[in-house]
Amino acid sequence: MAVLYYSKVNVNSNIHEIDDENNTIKSIMDRLYTTIDDKKEFIKTEERTFFNENGEPKTVIKKEVYNFSQIEKVETENEKYITGWLVKRSPVFAEEFDLQKRVSKKVVRENDSISTMFYFDLQSEIVSFYSRLKFGHKQFTEAFECLLDTFSEDVGFKVILIKNPFSLKEIFNMLHKVNKIEATLIPPNAANREALKKLFKKENEQLELANVTKRTIFLETHIKNDKGMNIESPLIKETLEISEAYMEFGYSSVELEGVTKDGNRYKYISDKDSTYHTGIPDAVKEDRENLIEYVQKGIKRLLAKFTVEKLKFGENITTENNNTNKEEKK
């Protein structure tokens, strides 16, 4: 199962001019839709030193080249998006075996490449992608941002991974069944102890009395169990409530494993996967139609959550700075 990440594309320059009728967010996205192609490249350079076969140091300029590939654009009455691959090309220092001398020698492959497919929704300004070995989500986000800048002469962009807006209980309810919960609790420091004592006095007193510095709660039911865990049971409710309370102060990590309503395995680790993500089977992640289907479901779920939060709190909650444009326009 591959992980699909989601990032928000924010306009990061000329913010005070966004209200201009010729320079709205929509018009900026429309220009990106028109200009994005597979020709322009972003080049990142960095000095690297390595030792050759004689043990002598050699300094080279490592160059990473990023570009889009196999671009397809779709615009209908209800949707507007771009799909394709983001390609990273760079020299790779490796070894090659000499069949005649029967020894390995160091070589440089100058144009080694790795790519990952993406879906860029220009209406919600969300881009989704899966990470690859040696091409992780942080590197993709940086490269996508820099590439967008090359396609716009007067506007700069900031691309930020979207944090997971769902509570543990909401994640639990989104799954068809959960077969594993592992929660690690760490007693809080003095500054936050009082706040947590009000919520879980008994829990904290037990940890303090036992002089325990870490407690792990492990609950599991067999993956073949049709029902999975019962979220309404006192044991599960208490575990989730305690975990969320401790998590708020940074003293808890939680791991969930289960199966989605689509029948796919799902794993959530709070301290590692604080970003919003969904899953896609490895077998279909490079099939454009399948990726579009999985990503669109993930975006709809995310936007539905934002709509609920907006109605509930009177504000739009996305990434940690997704309100930057609106705030700086005022």
Side-chain angles (χ1 to χ4, degrees), residues 4-16:
L4 288 169
Y5 294 93
Y6 298 78
S7 291
K8 180 72 166 55
V9 177
N10 290 319
V11 175
N12 199 43
S13 67
N14 302 335
I15 295 173
H16 298 289

Side-chain angles (χ1 to χ4, degrees), residues 86-295:
L86 198 162
V87 183
K88 169 190 171 185
R89 293 139 55 202
S90 61
V92 172
F93 305 97
E95 289 189 357
E96 190 175 88
F97 188 70
D98 190 314
L99 292 173
Q100 292 183 340
K101 295 182 179 180
R102 309 302 294 175
V103 296
S104 294
K105 61 179 181 179
K106 295 184 184 299
V107 297
V108 179
R109 295 199 297 269
E110 293 290 348
N111 202 32
D112 198 75
S113 70
I114 185 170
S115 61
T116 183
M117 203 189 316
F118 69 89
Y119 175 102
F120 181 20
D121 186 333
L122 289 98
Q123 293 181 324
S124 64
E125 301 138 43
I126 292 175
V127 57
S128 180
F129 58 94
Y130 58 86
S131 63
R132 298 281 305 275
L133 185 65
K134 297 184 180 180
F135 197 5
H137 58 275
K138 291 182 179 179
Q139 195 172 30
F140 176 97
T141 301
E142 178 187 352
F144 195 85
E145 176 183 306
C146 293
L147 269 173
L148 289 187
D149 283 345
T150 67
F151 287 100
S152 180
E153 295 180 359
D154 58 341
V155 175
F157 298 91
K158 188 68 178 175
V159 181
I160 302 174
L161 284 165
I162 296 176
K163 290 186 176 182
N164 183 13
F166 296 97
S167 68
L168 280 176
K169 185 174 181 180
E170 287 174 324
I171 293 172
F172 203 113
N173 284 330
M174 283 190 296
L175 296 175
H176 172 62
K177 62 179 182 179
V178 172
N179 62 286
K180 176 182 174 182
I181 301 176
E182 184 173 347
T184 300
L185 309 180
I186 300 173
N189 56 29
N192 288 326
R193 195 170 294 152
E194 290 303 317
L196 277 169
K197 271 187 177 180
K198 294 177 181 178
L199 293 172
F200 299 104
K201 182 177 179 181
K202 181 180 179 181
E203 181 73 25
N204 283 284
E205 286 178 348
Q206 289 178 342
L207 292 174
E208 189 174 345
L209 183 63
N211 196 26
V212 170
T213 58
K214 182 187 289 188
R215 178 190 174 195
T216 299
I217 303 170
F218 188 88
L219 305 173
E220 186 174 21
T221 186
H222 199 281
I223 189 63
K224 292 183 179 180
N225 187 306
D226 293 335
K227 295 181 179 179
M229 295 184 186
N230 178 12
I231 193 172
E232 297 303 325
S233 66
L235 177 61
I236 302 300
K237 288 178 73 172
E238 182 179 348
T239 300
L240 295 181
E241 287 172 0
I242 292 175
S243 299
E244 283 197 307
Y246 273 70
M247 196 183 300
E248 183 178 347
F249 293 96
Y251 297 101
S252 172
S253 64
V254 179
E255 179 178 324
L256 294 180
E257 288 187 15
V259 178
T260 67
K261 294 174 182 176
D262 298 324
N264 297 313
R265 296 293 299 274
Y266 179 90
K267 186 173 184 178
Y268 166 79
I269 305 176
S270 63
D271 56 350
K272 293 182 180 179
D273 299 336
S274 58
T275 56
Y276 173 69
H277 67 275
T278 58
I280 182 171
D282 286 305
V284 301
K285 69 180 182 182
E286 295 192 19
D287 179 85
R288 198 186 302 255
E289 290 186 7
N290 274 294
L291 183 121
I292 290 171
E293 180 183 350
Y294 278 87
V295 169

Side-chain angles (χ1 to χ4, degrees), residues 16-33:
H16 298 289
E17 301 173 11
I18 294 299
D19 277 333
D20 188 292
E21 63 181 33
N22 296 318
N23 209 28
T24 62
I25 293 293
K26 182 181 182 304
S27 67
I28 292 171
M29 292 297 146
D30 287 344
R31 291 201 296 273
L32 278 180
Y33 182 85

